[in-house]
Amino acid sequence: MSDVAVAGAEHRAVAKFLRRMMPILVLMLLVNNLDRTNVGFIQDELRADVGVGATAYGLGAGLFFIGYALFEVPSNMLLERFGARVWLTRIMITWGLVIVAMCFIHNVTMFYVLRFLLGVAEAGFFPGAMLYITQWLPDASRGRATAIFLGGSAAAGIVTGPVTGALLELHGAGGVAGWRWMFGLEGTFSVIVGIIAGFFLVSRIEDARWLSAEEKSALRTAVTRDEAERERAPKVSRLRLMFHPQVALLTGAFFAMTLTGYAITFWLPSLIEEIKGLSPFEVGLLAAVPAIASMIAMYSMSHFTDRSPDRRPFLAVTLLLSAIGTYLATLGSPWFGLAAITLAGVGSKCAATLFWPMAQSGLDLRIAAPGLALVNSIGNLGGFVSPFLFGYLKDTTGSTNGGLYTLSAASLLAIVAARYIRGARAGDAPLTATAADAGTEQPRVA
């Protein structure tokens, strides 16, 4: 085929992937975020029915990320072995079953154990989905796909509040507490979506019946070309690359983003409840405001950043917005606080949209799977630190202002780290070896 014909076939193949695979991935991520964050709406219920105080709530909310971090790297390696169709659906069905089990919580220990097990069950889903996109799309198309995928996270913020609030209104139906209805129904839905996903996901380009032979060839050639670019780097051990300073920068920057993101996720409902006279459903509706603003900002920004030769200035601006928003949330009325948290949420979500294409482009192909998993798992420990810190401060000082100041400082530090991230600017080489590693022959990574 001519170059024009190949380019056309590649364009059609990418469009078909976005049209056929991305909707199910977005739905899975939406449900994923809903199931890990729905506890943010039942703090008062857990305190009254189970005896979970603010510190215990923060610890339980954060224990999810300990299980997530411990099992994410091996989970992502198993995805490489079994393929996305088997492994991503296995992850989703398993976490749905854990969510169903949470409707039977009767004490603080059960709350801790099941939150930890939920992290174990979900481990590997997000970096696995990101790796799946990397295996299917060339570098030039991944920014748009990543923005679409992360839109599922923003959409989860929009639907989690209203859906969870509506389910909480079932309180007393059949003599069952509303929060137990919430866990049972949302967990069952997760299992159903996981089963359905198994019929739609296609693990390899060659197995896609909806692509023509020419489209398969063009897409595989484009992906292979990008892989070859990264394969030109000297052969180095996977362990060395995983602990390269660039990986540390990626992990540190992402840790700061998750601190803010999960502080908003787990504590926003309680901040909104300071506005007196709201029903659970109304609290849920207001909790969707930051997510709506974030989604609009993410999609608007992606049109500019995908064409930009350097994403780092955009990342710095979004992190600055996050820092300003969390600081302003310590001032003024609850309504002003909601506006400030909305600003912080926009900055945090937009920063994540910029961050992941940079991480994908900056990692050597031979450590893409464990590298992305390492960055995501350790970075996501911010999801442990943030809710626990906020819960402890609320119990000991009666205020979360100290936590908000910490988030502002973390976002400012992340701006410094982002300045030195590779893969953010055209011409940057992907993360490879240090000069001392060059020329050192290592066993090929399977």
Side-chain angles (χ1 to χ4, degrees):
M1 291 190 296
S2 67
D3 290 344
V4 174
V6 170
E10 178 188 333
H11 178 76
R12 292 194 302 273
V14 169
K16 286 183 178 180
F17 176 85
L18 296 178
R19 189 166 60 247
R20 290 175 176 268
M21 294 294 98
M22 291 309 299
I24 190 64
L25 289 176
V26 168
L27 176 60
M28 294 172 77
L29 182 63
L30 187 154
V31 177
N32 176 266
N33 278 263
L34 185 152
D35 285 343
R36 73 167 62 175
T37 61
N38 50 20
V39 295
F41 293 85
I42 60 170
Q43 291 183 54
D44 291 340
E45 289 81 354
L46 289 175
R47 183 182 301 110
D49 296 350
V50 186
V52 178
T55 301
Y57 164 77
L59 177 58
L63 278 174
F64 166 92
F65 297 95
I66 300 298
Y68 198 89
L70 289 175
F71 289 88
E72 186 158 17
V73 172
S75 178
N76 217 36
M77 300 304 295
L78 287 169
L79 181 139
E80 283 193 297
R81 177 177 178 181
F82 292 106
R85 181 171 177 268
V86 171
W87 200 247
L88 292 182
T89 55
R90 192 285 305 163
I91 290 173
M92 188 168 195
I93 292 170
T94 305
W95 94 56
L97 293 174
V98 175
I99 288 292
V100 171
M102 290 187 71
C103 71
F104 299 103
I105 291 174
H106 290 291
N107 54 54
V108 173
T109 301
M110 286 185 67
F111 177 58
Y112 289 161
V113 170
L114 287 174
R115 282 293 297 180
F116 176 81
L117 289 178
L118 182 62
V120 173
E122 288 192 18
F125 173 75
F126 182 83
M130 296 297 291
L131 177 63
Y132 180 59
I133 293 172
T134 302
Q135 293 170 338
W136 269 82
L137 297 180
D139 292 345
S141 301
R142 284 208 306 269
R144 182 168 39 142
T146 301
I148 293 171
F149 181 60
L150 292 179
S153 177
I158 296 173
V159 304
T160 295
V163 169
T164 301
L167 293 177
L168 291 175
E169 299 283 355
L170 293 174
H171 182 73
V176 178
W179 64 272
R180 298 186 190 275
W181 276 114
M182 179 198 74
F183 281 133
L185 293 175
E186 290 183 354
T188 300
F189 181 69
S190 300
V191 172
I192 293 172
V193 172
I195 294 172
I196 293 173
F199 291 96
F200 284 91
L201 289 177
V202 179
S203 295
R204 302 187 309 153
I205 294 173
E206 292 75 16
D207 296 333
R209 297 180 180 178
W210 31 269
L211 291 178
S212 68
E214 292 79 10
E215 290 166 346
K216 290 178 183 179
S217 176
L219 188 57
R220 170 51 62 197
T221 299
V223 172
T224 301
R225 182 176 61 245
D226 289 337
E227 292 175 350
E229 288 291 327
R230 283 173 279 181
E231 284 281 11
R232 291 176 184 172
K235 297 176 183 176
V236 295
S237 71
R238 175 179 284 167
L239 186 62
R240 267 186 171 178
L241 284 174
M242 288 176 68
F243 288 96
H244 190 285
Q246 283 292 319
V247 175
L249 286 171
L250 289 168
T251 303
F254 188 56
F255 180 85
M257 295 176 205
T258 59
L259 280 176
T260 300
Y262 284 111
I264 294 172
T265 296
F266 289 118
W267 288 95
L268 179 61
S270 67
L271 295 174
I272 294 174
E273 286 171 357
E274 294 179 10
I275 303 172
K276 303 301 182 182
L278 298 177
S279 69
F281 182 67
E282 291 169 332
V283 170
L285 288 177
L286 287 177
V289 171
I292 294 172
S294 298
M295 179 172 282
I296 294 171
M298 285 167 59
Y299 283 110
S300 300
M301 182 190 67
S302 67
H303 290 291
F304 298 98
T305 58
D306 268 2
R307 295 191 295 267
S308 173
D310 191 351
R311 289 186 173 96
R312 279 174 285 201
F314 293 95
L315 182 60
V317 170
T318 57
L319 289 169
L320 182 61
L321 290 178
S322 180
I324 293 172
T326 50
Y327 174 77
L328 291 178
T330 64
L331 310 173
S333 68
W335 285 106
F336 180 81
L338 176 61
I341 287 295
T342 298
L343 178 63
V346 167
S348 177
K349 290 293 185 183
C350 288
T353 303
L354 291 163
F355 174 82
W356 283 109
M358 292 163 57
Q360 289 170 319
S361 299
L363 288 177
D364 186 279
L365 179 65
R366 290 157 295 175
I367 63 154
L372 290 174
L374 182 74
V375 170
N376 191 58
S377 59
I378 296 180
N380 261 311
L381 289 177
F384 171 78
V385 174
S386 188
F388 178 72
L389 175 65
F390 270 64
Y392 175 77
L393 289 173
K394 188 171 183 179
D395 270 346
T396 56
T397 68
S399 172
T400 58
N401 284 355
L404 291 168
Y405 294 141
T406 302
L407 298 183
S408 294
S411 294
L412 293 176
L413 289 174
I415 294 174
V416 178
R419 167 67 179 80
Y420 298 99
I421 292 175
R422 292 184 182 274
R425 182 175 59 193
D428 276 348
L431 170 59
T432 57
T434 62
D437 293 326
T440 302
E441 190 72 18
Q442 300 286 345
R444 180 174 294 276
V445 177

